[in-house]
Amino acid sequence: MNKESLINEAKKIREKAYVPYSEFPVGAALTTKSGKVYTGCNIENAAFPVTCCAERVAIFKAIADGEREFSEMAVVADTERPVPPCGSCRQVMSEFFKPTMTVHLTNLHNNTKTVSVEELLPFSFQPDDLHNKE
């Protein structure tokens, strides 16, 4: 799937966001190495800490479906600049995506910034950090 198609998928799913509190819908679309596309939108809750961002919804849907290898992701919101993922989403991305994987950050004005996962979260906490090397 090309970049524009992936961004369009993120825009379409953004319309399904459940955002009665922030009124800030976000959409994300993720491609896997097998060619499948997983989409996600943010889903809010009155107990704000249990809200889930669009990026994590798409990633978790893919993981729950057995996918483990990913190609690229697009994230879109109605912002002035290309929408940046929150810290929680960046950490989840660093867990499941290779550091060199492409992430397209965009807005409804077609301003796009393409970055790698490593650029989004340099020096991220990794699974190997959990293992005592002594």
Side-chain angles (χ1 to χ4, degrees), residues 6 8-14 16 27-31 36-41 54-59 61-62 73:
L6 191 63
N8 283 334
E9 289 297 315
K11 285 180 179 177
K12 283 195 300 191
I13 194 68
R14 177 184 168 273
K16 295 182 179 180
L30 171 65
T31 57
K36 291 183 181 177
V37 176
Y38 289 87
T39 58
C41 57
E55 300 92 323
R56 286 181 283 146
V57 170
I59 294 166
K61 283 170 62 176
M73 178 176 248

Side-chain angles (χ1 to χ4, degrees), residues 62-108:
I63 295 297
D65 203 26
E67 295 288 347
R68 296 293 188 272
E69 295 185 33
F70 304 98
S71 300
E72 63 185 325
M73 178 176 248
V75 184
V76 64
D78 189 9
T79 51
E80 288 299 315
R81 64 181 179 157
V83 65
C86 75
S88 295
C89 288
R90 292 174 195 221
Q91 181 60 44
V92 170
M93 288 175 181
S94 77
E95 176 83 14
F96 294 108
F97 299 164
K98 292 184 178 180
T100 57
M101 192 180 111
T102 300
V103 181
H104 307 289
L105 310 175
T106 190
N107 61 20
L108 299 182

